Amino acid sequence: MQDTPHGWYVHMIEIRRNEKLVSVGLFVLAVLVGGWFRFAQLSLKPFHHDEGVNSYFLLALAKQGSTAYKYNPENYHGPTLYYFALMALRAFGESDFALRFWPCLFGVLSIVLLWWWREHLGTVGLPVAAFLMALSPGLIFFSRYFIHEMMFGWCSLAIAVGAWRYAATKDFKWMALVAIAAGILFATKETALITAVVLLVALICASLWDIVRMLLHEHRFTPAALVKQLRRDWAAVRPSLDHALSALIIFIFINVFFYSSAFTNWGGVADAFKAIMHWTKERSGTDHVHSTFYYLGILLKLELPLLVGGVLAGLVILWRGTRFWLFVGAWTFGITLAYSVIPYKTPWLMVSILLPLALVCGYAAEQLYGLFAPLTWRVVWLGLLLFTLIICWRMARLVNFEKYEDNSNSTAYFADWGKQLKLTPYLDGQYGYVYAQTDRDFLEFVRTVKQAAAQFPTQKETGIHVGSPEYWPLPWYLRDYPNVAYSGTLPEKLDEGALVQPIVIARADQQPRMQEAPGWRQVGREYTLRPGVQLLVYVRDEQ
């Protein structure tokens, strides 16, 4: 039957159906793989300094209510992380898993969102983009981190997905998704304004480019024709008044709820506006100022497949990209440019770059697959994609499960080659995801402190004096000990019972004073908190 036109047509339908089934199956597999990389061994990596601070705010909120935590525009970021984590804390108890649960979940949900763009990605592009997200070392790294970034990244993607779906269907549920995601975005981090501007500018640029390209192709380009087409396009996608007002109410409610600490601190709403001015201040004197090419350097070292795929995608998009892909390409380029020109840079901002970058890589994979008409070349291309995902898997394992505390950031694609060429990203340890990470030795230090406390009859009430000026994330690990004094200094007198706490935690440079004080003995050895910070444990002899 296949020799007849009808038989050939049926055969092609069966092939397409099988391709879609395989594509869906691989997409589901990518979601599962992404979930495993994010949720597996969540306590493996000790809490970072920032995670320790965030846990302090969370515990205050959990134990004392909204009056204990109020949004402060001069410190840290928005309040959403703590209220989301509070739900996990109630469900799972005080554990590393509970605190890191929501960032992990948002990391997985970012992959799930691709399902609603499957028509644009195609049968090859959908699983490729999903696997690239699932196996991105950076997206995994910051999904396993109790900070705001992964929630922020999901919101950015959800806004784009919801807006595009609403324009196509006029279904209010997609407008509601935009409003909810935008509300959480602005209540999560002050950089929401950057994301909103980039998305809007990307949409405008994509629309203009697509219209100009169409008019030039039809040989009827004039300014008047351009304006007329813009008006026509806007009339086709603009929301109805009731949908727009409903979305605005949702957006405002979410921000007021979080910034007012569930309507208990109305000053927090005004502080949300002050935060924008605070984070635009000059920060040239901080440790977070890096080169304009900082993010490109990280991509080169740790996300090379995404970088290469992004370049290929950019060429294909400019050549034959639809308006949708012109938008995603402009979004990818725009957010990378925006964060690159700002001197203040941190590695976790890479999340906002990696998400759209994985999308355009999926598009490139789909388009190149379509260009390879002979089956042999398509098989070769699929084999190359599989090989790429395997090396992504290996890098993801290295960064997140083996060298997660490598503060020198020596892990990289072609590390030896990069050093031989004396490329800055390979020589400067700041280029990487590990950023003053707590050493794994710190967990042994915590065990030593708890063993020292166990020597006393009422170990939970045992007093602990933290004399080291650097101790985060220690408060999270000693949360069960109510009598811990975080003074950051040693008292003037350490003898004759001047210090009531029987355990002292000191920094290495405070060791001479502890050795001179009678009645104290060191237990254990010298432990590393993070590079350059060593901690010691002392116990009073008289019990």
Side-chain angles (χ1 to χ4, degrees):
M1 181 179 290
Q2 292 183 12
D3 294 334
T4 67
H6 176 71
W8 177 86
Y9 179 72
V10 171
H11 179 63
M12 290 303 298
I13 290 178
E14 290 178 353
I15 291 176
R16 293 292 174 83
R17 184 185 297 115
N18 291 335
E19 285 181 344
K20 288 183 178 180
L21 288 175
V22 172
S23 178
V24 171
L26 290 175
F27 172 75
V28 173
L29 179 61
V31 174
L32 294 176
V33 169
W36 182 87
F37 266 102
R38 283 151 180 80
F39 281 99
Q41 303 180 61
L42 270 184
S43 295
L44 177 67
K45 180 172 65 176
F47 270 35
H48 185 270
H49 173 284
D50 292 347
E51 290 183 283
V53 174
N54 287 335
S55 71
Y56 173 80
F57 290 138
L58 172 61
L59 291 178
L61 177 63
K63 295 178 180 179
Q64 303 174 48
S66 298
T67 56
Y69 167 75
K70 294 182 179 180
Y71 173 69
N72 183 347
E74 296 185 1
N75 291 299
Y76 317 107
H77 297 296
T80 54
L81 180 69
Y82 313 116
Y83 285 93
F84 274 85
L86 182 61
M87 292 187 286
L89 204 69
R90 301 295 192 217
F92 306 117
E94 294 181 7
S95 63
D96 294 0
F97 178 85
L99 270 63
R100 288 170 169 168
F101 171 80
W102 279 105
C104 287
L105 183 61
F106 276 112
V108 176
L109 291 178
S110 297
I111 306 171
V112 174
L113 278 174
L114 300 188
W115 177 253
W116 286 278
W117 273 351
R118 59 190 182 277
E119 296 90 352
H120 299 286
L121 284 162
T123 54
V124 173
L126 175 65
V128 168
F131 269 110
L132 288 174
M133 280 190 186
L135 299 174
S136 164
L139 291 178
I140 296 171
F141 194 87
F142 295 114
S143 293
R144 298 167 60 86
Y145 227 81
F146 182 50
I147 59 174
H148 303 69
E149 214 60 43
M150 206 59 235
M151 182 187 300
F152 187 85
W154 177 87
C155 289
S156 304
L157 185 56
I159 290 171
V161 170
W164 213 270
R165 294 288 295 177
Y166 177 80
T169 65
K170 292 298 187 295
D171 190 336
F172 179 71
K173 68 182 179 183
W174 297 110
M175 179 61 75
L177 174 62
V178 174
I180 293 170
I184 297 174
L185 185 83
F186 275 82
T188 297
K189 280 193 69 181
E190 299 76 9
T191 49
L193 190 60
I194 297 175
T195 296
V197 171
V198 167
L199 288 174
L200 181 60
V201 172
L203 180 60
I204 294 172
C205 290
S207 300
L208 286 173
W209 179 267
D210 188 42
I211 293 172
V212 169
R213 184 176 57 180
M214 178 192 68
L215 294 175
L216 288 173
H217 179 72
E218 296 175 355
H219 304 289
R220 59 185 184 91
F221 175 79
T222 63
L226 175 62
V227 173
K228 182 179 180 180
Q229 188 63 44
L230 282 171
R231 288 178 176 174
R232 185 180 300 168
D233 288 358
W234 168 244
V237 301
R238 69 183 177 188
S240 61
L241 182 59
D242 58 333
H243 285 184
L245 289 176
S246 299
L248 181 61
I249 291 171
I250 293 171
F251 173 82
I252 293 174
F253 176 82
I254 290 173
N255 277 271
V256 170
F257 176 84
F258 284 114
Y259 280 112
S260 68
S261 298
F263 312 117
T264 62
N265 173 37
W266 291 102
V269 178
D271 287 340
F273 293 95
K274 296 177 184 178
I276 297 175
M277 298 304 299
H278 173 73
W279 289 98
T280 55
K281 292 179 181 177
E282 175 62 40
R283 295 175 179 271
S284 58
T286 72
D287 294 333
H288 300 299
V289 173
H290 297 290
S291 163
T292 303
F293 302 102
Y294 176 70
Y295 296 119
L296 291 178
I298 295 178
L299 288 173
L300 180 66
K301 284 181 67 175
L302 298 169
E303 308 279 359
L304 186 59
L306 284 176
L307 180 59
V308 174
V311 173
L312 287 174
L315 297 175
V316 176
I317 288 171
L318 290 174
W319 171 36
R320 57 185 294 175
T322 62
R323 184 176 302 191
F324 173 84
W325 285 110
L326 287 170
F327 161 71
V328 179
W331 171 21
T332 307
F333 177 78
I335 200 69
T336 305
L337 180 63
Y339 281 136
S340 295
V341 298
I342 298 172
Y344 186 87
K345 297 178 177 68
T346 54
W348 41 88
L349 292 176
M350 283 289 297
V351 169
S352 294
I353 297 173
L354 293 171
L355 288 172
L357 189 57
L359 284 170
V360 297
C361 287
Y363 170 75
E366 173 71 23
Q367 293 300 305
L368 290 174
Y369 178 79
L371 289 176
F372 297 138
L375 180 61
T376 302
W377 284 107
R378 286 190 170 187
V379 171
V380 171
W381 177 238
L382 292 176
L384 180 60
L385 291 175
L386 178 60
F387 174 75
T388 300
L389 293 178
I390 290 173
I391 63 174
C392 287
W393 179 294
R394 177 55 182 157
M395 182 60 73
R397 286 283 307 173
L398 279 173
V399 172
N400 291 283
F401 293 90
E402 297 178 27
K403 297 187 177 181
Y404 53 83
E405 59 167 2
D406 178 18
N407 283 285
S408 64
N409 281 304
S410 59
T411 307
Y413 288 107
F414 306 109
D416 293 337
W417 172 77
K419 291 177 181 178
Q420 289 176 4
L421 293 179
K422 297 183 179 179
L423 299 177
T424 299
Y426 293 87
L427 301 176
D428 188 343
Q430 293 293 313
Y431 285 78
Y433 297 128
V434 185
Y435 209 67
Q437 174 61 42
T438 305
D439 195 280
R440 71 182 71 188
D441 195 36
F442 174 77
L443 296 179
E444 182 62 32
F445 161 76
V446 172
R447 283 190 285 269
T448 300
V449 174
K450 291 183 177 181
Q451 288 170 2
Q455 300 176 23
F456 298 88
T458 55
Q459 56 177 298
K460 291 297 183 182
E461 286 71 38
T462 299
I464 302 173
H465 183 95
V466 182
S468 170
E470 298 181 71
Y471 51 79
W472 293 101
L474 190 58
W476 168 249
Y477 291 94
L478 296 184
R479 62 190 180 277
D480 292 332
Y481 296 81
N483 300 317
V484 183
Y486 295 95
S487 69
T489 60
L490 294 178
E492 294 184 5
K493 293 184 179 181
L494 288 166
D495 54 353
E496 300 177 359
L499 187 63
V500 296
Q501 291 93 345
I503 298 175
V504 169
I505 295 173
R507 197 168 62 181
D509 58 359
Q510 296 171 327
Q511 185 177 32
R513 282 204 59 206
M514 293 302 302
Q515 289 179 334
E516 293 171 359
W520 293 92
R521 59 183 172 84
Q522 180 180 340
V523 296
R525 53 180 173 80
E526 190 175 275
Y527 301 92
T528 301
L529 172 60
R530 53 181 167 268
V533 182
Q534 309 298 122
L535 297 179
L536 305 167
V537 183
Y538 286 89
V539 176
R540 194 170 58 209
D541 280 328
E542 298 179 3
Q543 300 183 15

